Amino acid sequence: MQLDLNLLTVLDALLEEGSVMGAAERLHLSSPAVSRTLGRLRAVTGDDILVRTGHSMAPTPYAVSVREDVHRLVRQAHEVLSPVRELDLAGMERTFTIQCHDAVAASLVPVLVAKIQQQARGVQLRVLAESPVDTDDLRHGRVDLELGGGRPALPEFRSEPLGEDRLVVAMRADHPCATGLDLASYAAQPHVVISRRGRLTAPIDDVLAAQGLRRRVVAAVATVSTALQIAARGDALVTCTAIHGRPLIEAFGLVARPLPIESAAATINCNWHQRYDSDPAHAWLREQVRASMQEITAR
């Protein structure tokens, strides 16, 4: 049997007001409309619900027995259809999962964790490394945010640019090129390429080729930290982003020099699934990521 759940709203008003007229005023309906609904309720339940006693109406034993249940169901339905949009940060307990490159993790995540703990100590953050292959983790809710250079093409995803990061060349402090680096000397040195897919070339190689130059790539690694460890042990150069690469460059005792050719800055995007558009907690997380990015960019 298919039930009209709107009957519960009228039944709740009838039991609270004790009359058709009172229920009609409460629901902003006409008395005949409420009277017709009372007839439907009687047909569905097989009970009179309200019976006349002199000049007033009294609930039947059945109506008295279900009054609290009906009121609770109507209240719960109202809460479901009118979700609270205000966040209780102090009482919020939730785990968010972010996926990003190791350089973004090293630069942005420490600032982000500090901001989160200052406002919502019950929130936990899981930070996952970039996958070497494309996954459906963002679509299926296994990842809340992806931070990186890519942007999802499908309309079910949202993407917001957090900022841009120019490219620099990292090397040992006593590297022969530390005092000066031109395009020819850049091409003449060994290089380590950062590629989560293991590619041995990058867009900079097309620029070099246009100048009649070709660099020697000695390794392709998935993370900035691995590439910089190699640079710290030899003469290899590592081309990486300046802002997000800075903590790791400094940690390995390396120096950064400008890329000796004009190159477009790398855009860092924040990607999420549209299911979280109206989620206040997720919107708050995105705001903390945005504020963290602004803080490290301003340094």
Side-chain angles (χ1 to χ4, degrees), residues 46-218:
D47 189 89
D48 287 333
I49 309 295
L50 292 175
V51 295
R52 186 164 297 283
T53 56
H55 296 293
S56 63
M57 301 189 78
T60 64
Y62 165 78
V64 172
S65 70
V66 301
R67 175 184 289 157
E68 292 301 322
D69 289 338
V70 170
H71 187 65
R72 185 181 69 256
L73 288 171
V74 171
R75 185 179 67 250
Q76 289 176 342
H78 179 76
E79 291 172 353
V80 169
L81 297 176
S82 303
V84 176
R85 295 301 181 188
E86 294 183 4
L87 274 181
D88 175 16
L89 292 177
M92 183 167 65
E93 293 186 0
R94 185 161 168 178
T95 299
F96 292 106
T97 300
I98 292 178
Q99 191 168 48
C100 61
H101 198 280
D102 68 319
V104 176
S107 59
L108 185 142
V109 170
V111 179
L112 177 60
V113 169
K115 288 185 179 298
I116 289 175
Q117 287 302 298
Q118 287 172 1
Q119 301 176 54
R121 297 184 64 83
V123 169
Q124 294 177 305
L125 194 65
R126 296 172 67 242
V127 181
L128 306 181
E130 278 187 327
S131 172
V133 296
D134 294 331
T135 69
D136 281 335
D137 290 343
L138 202 63
R139 168 178 287 142
H140 295 299
R142 292 187 289 267
V143 169
D144 293 288
L145 290 177
E146 283 183 352
L147 307 178
R151 295 186 63 183
L154 297 177
E156 67 187 275
F157 298 102
R158 303 288 185 260
S159 185
E160 174 188 348
L162 295 175
E164 294 185 340
D165 201 351
R166 62 186 176 84
L167 296 176
V168 294
V169 184
M171 65 192 78
R172 294 191 337 266
D174 59 349
H175 193 284
C177 294
T179 57
L181 185 67
D182 57 25
L183 195 58
S185 59
Y186 173 83
Q189 300 300 316
H191 290 259
V192 177
V193 174
I194 303 163
S195 170
R196 65 183 178 126
R197 300 180 188 272
R199 292 171 178 156
L200 291 166
T201 59
I204 189 68
D205 291 292
D206 295 331
V207 177
L208 291 173
Q211 300 292 323
L213 299 170
R214 182 179 179 181
R215 62 177 178 168
R216 181 167 63 94
V217 175
V218 297

